[in-house]
Amino acid sequence: MTPEQIASVRDSFGKVAPIADQAAALFYGRLFEIAPETRGLFKSDIGEQGRKLMATLAVVVRGLDDLPALMPAVTRLAERHAGYGVGAAHYLPVGAALLWTLEQGLGEGFTPEVKDAWTTAYGTLSGAMIAAAETAKPAA
């Protein structure tokens, strides 16, 4: 990611963070709308899950300028998600729901540059998570 993309992600997340609960509710509502099969992956309270989502995003956003240092946490997250039944195919609708949520939360502030920055960030991290989950799978 470029320094400009990182700054764009951080700035835009800073504008969404104050409405974290609403953003999380929008995210999960959209995810379950476009990928209803994902609903069964969530066993706990969705409000609590939303708080975890926003806290995780905050950590990731803070760590974007040092991806090598962030990767161990990303790997652990991927392994936990794989244990919950999350597969590679789930990452596409999650990314779509994330971008949609940001668009709703930022309104006109969701510029093409902001969308590109988030798309790059999500692509980088979801790719790493998919790879980590594949690596962690026990041999058949």
Side-chain angles (χ1 to χ4, degrees), residues 11-136:
D11 179 60
S12 58
F13 185 73
K15 293 173 182 169
V16 174
I19 59 162
D21 288 344
Q22 295 117 308
L26 283 170
F27 170 82
Y28 285 111
R30 182 65 175 172
L31 178 62
F32 300 152
E33 178 183 321
I34 63 175
E37 69 279 6
T38 62
R39 183 65 183 101
L41 296 171
F42 298 91
K43 310 295 185 216
S44 64
D45 173 63
I46 205 67
E48 178 61 27
Q49 185 62 41
R51 287 184 282 285
K52 290 178 184 177
L53 168 70
M54 296 306 290
T56 299
L57 282 174
V59 169
V60 168
V61 167
R62 280 193 306 270
L64 286 176
D65 53 356
D66 191 358
L67 287 176
L70 186 60
M71 282 304 135
V74 169
T75 297
R76 288 189 303 275
L77 184 64
E79 291 167 351
R80 278 197 314 274
H81 279 76
Y84 302 141
V86 174
H90 293 117
Y91 286 87
L92 186 62
V94 166
L98 176 63
L99 291 175
W100 181 87
T101 301
L102 291 163
E103 183 176 17
Q104 303 312 301
L106 295 169
E108 291 181 8
F110 191 69
T111 63
E113 293 79 17
V114 170
K115 181 178 181 179
D116 177 65
W118 275 98
T119 299
T120 299
Y122 183 77
T124 299
L125 294 167
S126 65
M129 289 180 73
I130 291 167
E134 287 295 320
T135 302

